[in-house]
Amino acid sequence: MDKLRRVLSGRDENEEQGLTAQVLDASTLSYSTRVKWFVICFASGILCSILGTALLFLPNGIKLFAVFYTLGNIAALASTCFLMGPLKQLKRMFEKTRLIATIVMLLCLVLTLCAAFWWNKKLLAIIFCILQFLAMTCHLSTEENIALTCVTCGLS
């Protein structure tokens, strides 16, 4: 198959691909596969967040809450990489319109874990989780393509 690609693209058989081209060739996914993995990753993020919230009510459950809630937000954020690719996602995260929400979100991810594990402050960890949620909402609300995909996946 690689030989056929080289012949059709006009590349010489002895010419070697660069690392970037090899990675892009190996990681191309169809649109339906991207949407499926987006939904799977996003749903697992929501599930982790809900599980973390349920674990909050256990004795000493603040640490489990912080870990699961943070992992849930990371999974939900990583799910968008399936739709647009990780490099484009990172570039868009740090655009001028999303910069503040991105910094607050990333800072709150770290501070939630710090409040739960090192500072042992339950209320502070919950406040940072609320800030995570608000920053994630602001970040995702500026991404119209993702919102449209969520709506169309939910309708079909």
Side-chain angles (χ1 to χ4, degrees), residues 12-124:
D12 187 19
E13 195 172 324
N14 294 329
E15 182 183 351
E16 294 209 13
Q17 287 183 317
L19 180 62
T20 306
Q22 289 175 357
V23 169
L24 289 176
D25 283 346
S27 65
T28 55
L29 299 172
S30 69
Y31 181 74
S32 63
T33 304
R34 288 177 183 264
V35 171
K36 287 175 189 172
W37 280 103
F38 163 75
V39 170
I40 289 169
C41 198
F42 194 78
S44 66
I46 291 172
L47 184 66
C48 279
S49 295
I50 291 170
L51 180 63
T53 304
L55 292 172
L56 178 63
F57 301 107
L58 293 177
N60 245 355
I62 188 67
K63 292 178 182 179
L64 291 172
F65 165 71
V67 168
F68 278 101
Y69 194 84
T70 302
L71 283 176
N73 279 340
I74 291 171
L77 183 64
S79 69
T80 58
C81 292
F82 286 106
L83 295 179
M84 65 180 72
L87 291 178
K88 189 174 180 183
Q89 169 67 13
L90 285 173
K91 286 178 186 176
R92 292 186 82 171
M93 279 177 66
F94 291 98
E95 285 178 350
K96 194 174 186 177
T97 57
R98 293 186 186 99
L99 185 62
I100 293 173
T102 300
I103 290 171
V104 169
M105 180 182 54
L106 294 174
L107 191 61
C108 286
L109 290 173
V110 173
L111 290 175
T112 299
L113 296 173
C114 289
F117 285 99
W118 290 284
W119 304 330
N120 291 319
K121 303 288 184 185
K122 186 176 183 176
L123 183 62
L124 195 57

